[in-house]
Amino acid sequence: MANAAEAIVEPFTTQPSKPNLQPRIDTSTDWLGAIPFVLMHVGAVAGLFLLPITLKGIALTIGTYYFFMAAVTIAYHRYFSHRSFKTGRVFQFLLALWGTMTSQKGVLWWAGNHRHHHRYSDDPQDVHSPVQRGFFWSHVGWILVREYEPTMNQYVRDFEKFPELRWLNKHYLVPVATYGALTFLIGGWFGFYWGFVLAITALWHGTFTINSLTHIWGKRRFKTSDASRNNFFTAMITMGEGWHNNHHHYMHSARQGFYWWEIDLSYYIIKGFERLGLVWDVKEPPKELLELGRQKTI
């Protein structure tokens, strides 16, 4: 099974050469394109005043938040951006569909931007560095800029060859709209608000903290060329992504909480997938790296 699937899904091993680029300076906001994003935030706030706040509603939001946070971290980040484990084509598509439902644009768009970020992390070319352009830009501003709307296809040649992924990337709103409609059909305004509007809005900002907070707040175990930091708080709200200095030091690892005390829920789920035979060749940090990391925090 593994050999056949590996022949279909090749590991990402190369990136385009690093050109001598000048910082991109077109930071004009696409206000028309930002309307849905703004309306979601208006709805998230308005619902707190217009709808009764119940334990059932809060539980639905928290459950949905973490269900989709796992999609961002496992599918979009650790698989499609870093190839930290292998899988077959069917489960690869299911991972992409799961990630697309989080309303964070297409899978190729997300992975392309993230690979670009690692190539230029905290350099002037970095699309969302708080070191270069401040907290607000790195947290949310860059998403609303017209220049970053196209997919960086040159960074995702390994996945661009799959037509089903190209379709999902182009029509990413279809799974999002379908999920939103289902929450309304099943749960009415209650389900739509707590299970879609509030949960997805919170999910956005939980994800965005990795771009913003973990490059300015926390501790550095490893000396890297950027300002990445480990942060317990962001690790808890992002299912392990907050061990960001670890990740930037060894980005190909499926495990970002390198030690037992660094809780990494996404990694535990990946290991569960491995036991079920859905994924394999799960990459781990080398033993010598772990030993080095135990010695000190810079």
Side-chain angles (χ1 to χ4, degrees):
M1 172 181 167
N3 291 335
E6 287 173 21
I8 298 173
V9 185
E10 300 172 358
F12 177 71
T13 56
T14 60
Q15 290 182 337
S17 58
K18 187 172 182 177
N20 182 21
L21 296 176
Q22 294 298 317
R24 291 188 282 181
I25 58 175
D26 183 4
T27 59
S28 56
T29 300
D30 179 12
W31 291 111
L32 181 62
I35 290 175
F37 185 80
V38 173
L39 288 178
M40 282 284 282
H41 284 78
V42 171
V45 175
L48 295 175
F49 296 94
L50 299 176
L51 296 174
I53 299 176
T54 64
L55 289 177
K56 184 179 178 181
I58 294 172
L60 177 58
T61 295
I62 293 174
T64 304
Y65 172 93
Y66 278 106
F67 175 75
F68 282 136
M69 181 59 75
V72 175
T73 64
I74 296 170
Y76 269 17
H77 187 210
R78 304 193 195 191
Y79 179 70
F80 286 104
S81 296
H82 293 293
R83 301 303 295 269
S84 64
F85 56 87
K86 295 179 182 178
T87 190
R89 189 165 177 176
V90 173
F91 195 63
Q92 174 181 272
F93 175 76
L94 293 177
L95 287 174
L97 180 62
W98 187 23
T100 305
M101 291 171 66
T102 67
S103 192
Q104 297 193 22
K105 296 190 177 180
V107 56
L108 302 181
W109 179 90
W110 205 103
N113 273 285
H114 190 74
R115 289 177 176 181
H116 181 278
H117 159 67
H118 271 272
R119 171 146 296 201
Y120 298 105
S121 184
D122 288 331
D123 287 345
Q125 293 87 2
D126 189 349
V127 296
H128 49 62
S129 170
V131 175
Q132 295 293 332
R133 294 179 181 172
F135 175 85
F136 179 79
W137 170 267
S138 65
H139 191 77
V140 68
W142 74 279
I143 298 169
L144 307 178
V145 170
R146 186 175 292 108
E147 182 163 349
Y148 300 120
E149 290 178 2
T151 298
M152 295 185 180
N153 294 300
Q154 69 272 29
Y155 286 92
V156 287
R157 297 300 185 197
D158 52 329
F159 286 118
E160 189 186 33
K161 64 186 179 182
F162 296 102
E164 65 272 22
L165 297 185
R166 294 198 303 271
W167 189 91
L168 266 182
N169 191 67
K170 182 177 180 180
H171 303 286
Y172 65 89
L173 287 177
V174 174
V176 174
T178 301
Y179 171 68
L182 285 174
T183 61
F184 181 77
L185 290 174
I186 296 172
W189 288 111
F190 173 88
F192 180 71
Y193 174 72
W194 294 100
F196 180 73
V197 176
L198 186 60
I200 294 298
T201 302
L203 177 73
W204 284 340
H205 290 282
T207 305
F208 300 164
T209 62
I210 303 303
N211 297 340
S212 54
L213 290 180
T214 57
H215 280 255
I216 58 176
W217 176 34
K219 296 182 179 180
R220 288 170 53 78
R221 170 176 288 116
F222 300 102
K223 185 177 182 180
T224 59
S225 61
D226 54 34
S228 58
R229 286 162 164 75
N230 289 335
N231 185 290
F232 176 82
F233 169 74
T234 57
M236 294 304 98
I237 65 172
T238 61
M239 302 181 69
E241 299 292 296
W243 308 117
H244 204 54
N245 180 247
N246 293 351
H247 172 60
H248 270 260
H249 187 65
Y250 193 73
M251 69 184 74
H252 300 295
S253 174
R255 182 176 188 171
Q256 297 186 13
F258 284 178
Y259 307 97
W260 66 265
W261 60 87
E262 294 178 337
I263 300 171
D264 187 350
L265 294 178
S266 297
Y267 170 71
Y268 309 150
I269 295 173
I270 292 171
K271 294 298 286 185
F273 287 157
E274 184 182 40
R275 289 199 172 196
L276 293 172
L278 297 172
V279 308
W280 50 89
D281 290 352
V282 177
K283 294 183 175 67
E284 304 275 352
K287 291 182 179 180
E288 56 271 21
L289 183 148
L290 296 178
E291 187 59 35
L292 175 66
R294 287 190 183 97
Q295 295 174 13
K296 65 176 182 178
T297 299
I298 60 175

